[in-house]
Amino acid sequence: MTMYRNSWLPEVFNDFLDTTVMPRTKATAPAINVKESQDKYQVELAAPGMRKEDFDVNINADGDLTIKMENKHVEKEENVQYLRREFAYGSYEQTLILPEDVDKEKIGARVADGVLTVDLPKIKVEEKKFARQISIG
């Protein structure tokens, strides 16, 4: 099994983006973007036509982020046969190993305009400023 490595991302994201643990029920899987800013990471998952009820986003027992998606409102069309169908996902599951600096208590998710967005705030490390007079002996 070959592991995919992103040479332009920090080493911590090699495991974060490892897709070898991703079970797929179809050959087509949603595209994922991962962004980083000073105060958070953000995962975006393409999910056209999906509603918030179609998602289950959680932190599992190992502390990893699990995203499950199942299209619960697939409509059957009579007298229609698809010759090619790529943008309808029956079900999909992805587990992402989170970097250590993610504040797991403050993770949030939302669905808008066909995109599931998961915000992963970074733990804020406050720099202590210490000022005092040094006596000369």
Side-chain angles (χ1 to χ4, degrees):
M1 202 177 324
T2 305
M3 291 187 65
Y4 176 76
R5 297 289 186 197
N6 283 309
S7 60
W8 56 272
L9 286 173
E11 186 69 23
V12 70
F13 276 100
N14 287 337
D15 290 332
F16 183 73
L17 295 173
D18 178 11
T19 59
T20 60
V21 295
M22 179 178 64
R24 295 182 185 180
T25 57
K26 294 184 181 249
T28 303
I32 293 180
N33 294 331
V34 179
K35 300 189 283 188
E36 180 182 13
S37 65
Q38 187 174 358
D39 60 342
K40 69 180 174 181
Y41 301 103
Q42 193 172 63
V43 176
E44 298 173 325
L45 184 133
M50 303 298 271
R51 303 173 187 157
K52 69 179 185 177
E53 303 85 39
D54 297 331
F55 294 96
D56 179 19
V57 180
N58 64 68
I59 301 294
N60 66 20
D62 297 326
D64 302 328
L65 177 70
T66 301
I67 300 171
K68 295 179 184 177
M69 180 173 80
E70 183 176 355
N71 192 341
K72 297 175 183 169
H73 57 276
V74 176
E75 297 176 12
K76 303 280 186 201
E77 297 180 58
E78 292 185 31
N79 301 320
V80 173
Q81 176 183 354
Y82 282 94
L83 299 177
R84 183 173 179 148
R85 185 174 186 165
E86 293 185 352
F87 64 87
Y89 311 110
S91 63
Y92 167 82
E93 182 174 344
Q94 171 81 52
T95 299
L96 301 172
I97 300 168
L98 297 176
E100 291 181 17
D101 63 342
V102 170
D103 187 343
K104 294 178 183 175
E105 295 292 324
K106 296 182 180 174
I107 294 174
R110 63 191 177 285
V111 177
D113 300 326
V115 176
L116 170 71
T117 302
V118 181
D119 292 316
L120 306 165
K122 293 181 180 179
I123 296 171
K124 293 183 181 175
V125 179
E126 293 185 26
E127 190 177 311
K128 292 185 179 181
K129 295 184 179 181
F130 190 77
R132 70 178 183 97
Q133 181 64 38
I134 307 294
S135 60
I136 301 172

